[in-house]
Amino acid sequence: AHDELERRVDERTAELAHRTAELSEAEQRFRAIVEASPTPLVLSRVEDGTIVFANDRLENLIGVEPGGLIGKSTTDFYYDPTDRPRVIAAIKEAGEVRGLELHLRRADGRPIWVSLSVQQLTFDGNATLATALIDITEQKHAQEELRFRKTLLEAQGEASIDGILVVSDEGKMLSYNQRFVEMWGIPPDLMRSRSDEDVMRHVLDQVGDRDEFVRRIDYLFAHSHEQSREEIELRDNRVFDRYTAPVVSAEGDYYGRIWFFRDVTVQKRYTEVLDKALREAENATAQASHYAAELERELEVGRRIQRSFLATTLPQPAGWEIAARFRPASRIAGDFYDVFELDNRIGLVIADVCGKGVGAALFMALFQSLVRANAERVVTASESPLPERILSEAMTATNGYTTRVHKPAHMFASVFFGLLDPATGVLNFVNAGHEPPAVIREYGPATRLRPGGPALGLIADASWDVGQTKIEPGELLAAFTDGVTEARNDERDFFTEERLMTLLVDPASSASTLLDRIEHSVDSFAGDAPPSDDLTLLAVKRLRDRTR
């Protein structure tokens, strides 16, 4: 019995050793298979989630060193702690889990998406979960990007002012936006039916030329890679701009056509109105150009007539030099000067009519003619009248006529009118609101002649004081309009009387020299700025040698 017992113990021991060897060999094969698997694998206890085995694929996925997962709990790697109880419940109910998508957390905290397949087994005598994981993070991101692009395209389509329709290569509706439905007035139930034939019949009922509409569609589907744009007229007089292009992938696969419809009825009507307005504007421009040319010719005639009012050859009494300058700001001017012989005296006039343009030019001719004519009338009516009488009566008569006959025009003129006796150098004058002329003395500063009353044409019963001065040999009289003192430069600064008076400090060798000095100074000051007013100058110099 003892021998038999030992024999049986030996047999059992040998059998146990054989079984242990087989188990060891199986475990080695299991480990080899698990380690060689490209799929991350993990064994964890059901009871507490403790990890008892993890292959290197899982360690790489979670981001830990080799062996770094053993002893850890799977709960530490669930992004949502409630996910593990959900997995356990699913296993208890179905015995296994296939393709469950979960959010996990890597060791560095970065989230990843995985697809889990879990099965329960017994390992080392414990209830264990064998879990295989597939990293689907990139797939999830791609799906999210696809959903975003789809949502964005749908939002763009619905926000578009165009009606959009996408049709397959078989002519089936694939997609459309609400604007397309509204433009064609398609009933909602008809669109929900997805009946391509019924929708097409509804559209054709609204098109003006049905045959041409169908012909173009057939042509474009027959020529799948062509683009097209044309206008469609509807029976209700609306006009649609229709554009279509093929839907082709980057690889060249053809999926159908996309159609864009835009209601251009209003723009079409506006374009027609605009074209008509442009034609009318072109005609008006041609007429205006013709009128401008006529006006330019008339202005040139007016300029020549006005220039004829100004003396081109000035009287030059013995012992005297008289010079003048006249530069209008435009084609015609409101300034004038006049120099004329009158009863052994020389009449000197410089004036500035208010305003600019044609009106000022007409009154310039009126004032100049009246002043000279009234002065000559006084001389003709009396034998050797005193200069004071000539000046006073000429100004009074001119002012009376202007205020009486032309009062509604509200035109006036500042006028300096002087009578020079060449023999004595005595100058009698009336200054009717004009810039006071200056007498440049040989010794001492220039003196300004005093004003004598208001401008002509302002006050009906106005009167003027007659002043008197004497111009000695070597001295010079300078008269000017405000086109000199109010000349402006590019900075809109005025030339000013102060700057003018500095030019009158030094006596000039001649009247022309003085006027050249003033003109050059004004031009240098103004630079490229356009003239804002007429510029008129008058200078009279008494020479030392009376024989000239």
Side-chain angles (χ1 to χ4, degrees):
H2 177 73
D3 291 340
E4 181 64 21
L5 179 62
E6 284 188 348
R7 183 183 64 77
R8 290 184 178 183
V9 169
D10 290 340
E11 288 178 354
R12 295 291 292 174
T13 301
E15 183 182 357
L16 182 60
H18 179 71
R19 295 289 181 90
T20 301
E22 287 181 344
L23 181 61
S24 176
E25 184 180 353
E27 183 180 352
Q28 290 176 1
R29 285 198 302 270
F30 170 76
R31 286 185 177 273
I33 293 171
V34 170
E35 291 295 343
S37 173
T39 302
L41 300 172
V42 60
L43 297 179
S44 61
R45 289 201 294 263
V46 174
E47 179 183 3
D48 55 8
T50 300
I51 298 174
V52 296
F53 173 80
N55 67 356
D56 58 351
R57 302 296 191 278
L58 181 65
E59 291 169 343
N60 291 336
L61 177 63
I62 299 300
V64 298
E65 298 293 331
L69 291 176
I70 303 302
K72 301 283 187 181
S73 174
T74 56
T75 306
D76 298 337
F77 301 100
Y78 281 101
Y79 201 83
D80 185 349
T82 64
D83 280 345
R84 187 174 186 275
R86 187 159 60 91
V87 173
I88 299 298
I91 291 175
K92 289 181 178 179
E93 180 180 349
E96 64 179 5
V97 173
R98 297 291 181 187
L100 178 63
E101 294 183 358
L102 289 178
H103 220 175
L104 296 185
R105 189 193 313 272
R106 282 173 45 92
D108 58 8
R110 181 164 58 89
I112 57 173
W113 280 97
V114 296
S115 175
L116 298 181
S117 293
V118 186
Q119 189 168 5
Q120 185 172 332
L121 51 80
T122 300
F123 185 79
D124 288 339
N126 296 312
T128 304
L129 297 180
T131 306
L133 300 86
I134 299 176
D135 186 358
I136 59 171
T137 304
E138 292 186 3
Q139 177 183 338
K140 276 288 188 180
H141 290 167
Q143 290 174 350
E144 291 174 2
E145 178 69 17
L146 185 61
R147 281 196 300 270
F148 170 75
R149 290 181 177 275
K150 181 176 182 295
T151 302
L152 181 61
L153 288 174
E154 290 175 350
Q156 289 176 336
E158 290 302 328
S160 174
I161 64 173
D162 297 330
I164 302 174
L165 174 66
V166 182
V167 182
S168 70
D169 54 349
E170 294 88 10
K172 301 295 183 181
M173 289 189 299
L174 299 178
S175 176
Y176 59 88
N177 66 352
Q178 186 61 30
R179 180 61 180 152
F180 170 77
V181 177
E182 295 171 352
M183 289 179 65
W184 289 99
I186 304 174
D189 56 346
L190 182 57
M191 293 303 299
R192 284 192 294 269
S193 71
R194 310 294 291 189
S195 173
D196 303 286
E197 294 78 8
D198 292 343
V199 172
M200 175 59 78
R201 279 195 294 271
H202 180 87
V203 169
L204 289 176
D205 287 342
Q206 301 181 63
V207 175
D209 190 342
R210 296 178 51 152
D211 295 339
E212 176 62 17
F213 188 85
V214 172
R215 187 191 69 79
R216 284 296 297 166
I217 292 177
D218 292 342
Y219 173 85
L220 290 169
F221 273 103
H223 300 77
S224 58
H225 291 280
E226 283 194 22
Q227 299 180 7
S228 175
R229 184 171 187 173
E230 56 250 333
E231 289 185 351
I232 304 170
E233 294 188 2
L234 276 62
R235 293 184 178 180
D236 59 5
N237 295 322
R238 287 184 298 163
V239 179
F240 287 174
D241 179 30
R242 182 182 67 184
Y243 171 76
T244 180
V247 179
V248 182
S249 69
E251 293 74 20
D253 298 322
Y254 175 75
Y255 295 103
R257 279 193 169 274
I258 185 169
W259 303 80
F260 296 89
F261 299 90
R262 178 172 296 185
D263 190 340
V264 294
T265 307
V266 176
Q267 293 91 321
K268 190 77 172 177
R269 303 296 178 259
Y270 282 164
T271 300
E272 294 173 356
V273 172
L274 181 60
D275 289 342
K276 181 180 179 181
L278 286 175
R279 290 192 297 271
E280 293 175 350
E282 290 173 355
N283 294 334
T285 300
Q287 294 176 2
S289 177
H290 176 72
Y291 174 76
E294 290 292 330
L295 182 60
E296 185 69 18
R297 285 192 290 270
E298 294 295 330
L299 287 175
E300 180 59 26
V301 172
R303 185 190 69 83
R304 290 198 298 268
I305 294 173
Q306 186 180 52
R307 295 290 296 191
S308 69
F309 278 86
L310 304 177
T312 55
T313 303
L314 304 181
Q316 302 291 332
W320 296 83
E321 179 197 0
I322 302 176
R325 297 285 190 276
F326 175 72
R327 286 200 328 208
S330 57
R331 301 295 294 272
I332 52 180
D335 283 8
F336 70 90
Y337 69 86
D338 200 3
V339 181
F340 54 94
E341 296 179 357
L342 186 67
D343 193 28
N344 298 322
R345 292 181 175 83
I346 300 297
L348 303 169
V349 181
I350 187 169
D352 183 1
V353 178
C354 69
K356 294 177 175 63
V358 176
L362 292 175
F363 275 88
M364 165 263 181
L366 175 67
F367 279 112
Q368 182 187 20
S369 300
L370 287 176
V371 169
R372 181 189 282 206
N374 285 322
E376 291 176 348
R377 179 185 56 77
V378 175
V379 171
T380 303
S382 304
E383 184 176 349
S384 300
L386 295 176
E388 292 84 349
R389 179 184 172 188
I390 298 174
L391 293 169
S392 180
E393 291 188 10
M395 298 293 279
T396 300
T398 300
N399 184 70
Y401 177 84
T402 306
T403 55
R404 183 177 66 256
V405 178
H406 297 288
K407 182 177 181 180
H410 301 289
M411 296 297 289
F412 61 90
S414 63
V415 179
F416 174 83
F417 182 13
L419 288 177
L420 174 66
D421 186 347
T424 62
V426 173
L427 175 68
N428 296 97
F429 63 88
V430 168
N431 188 350
H434 195 74
E435 298 283 344
V439 178
I440 306 173
R441 309 296 182 182
E442 277 199 297
Y443 305 102
T447 58
R448 305 290 295 276
L449 302 183
R450 62 182 177 84
L456 292 180
L458 281 179
I459 303 173
D461 56 353
S463 60
W464 292 267
D465 295 332
V466 178
Q468 186 181 88
T469 189
K470 185 175 182 180
I471 302 176
E472 300 292 345
E475 295 181 345
L476 191 146
L477 172 71
F480 52 89
T481 61
D482 59 8
V484 177
T485 58
E486 296 181 5
R488 292 188 173 189
N489 58 16
D490 288 331
E491 287 73 35
R492 307 299 292 167
D493 298 324
F494 289 108
F495 186 77
T496 71
E497 287 192 14
E498 290 77 11
R499 187 175 275 107
L500 173 62
M501 294 308 295
T502 60
L503 302 175
L504 305 181
V505 172
D506 298 327
S509 60
S510 67
S512 297
T513 300
L514 176 65
L515 299 189
D516 290 341
R517 180 194 301 171
I518 296 173
E519 276 195 294
H520 177 73
S521 180
V522 171
D523 291 342
S524 298
F525 173 82
D528 295 330
S532 58
D533 202 356
D534 308 325
L535 184 147
T536 306
L537 296 165
L538 180 64
V540 180
K541 182 176 177 65
R542 187 174 185 183
L543 306 176
R544 291 184 176 279
D545 183 7
R546 297 180 60 86
T547 60
R548 298 189 64 186

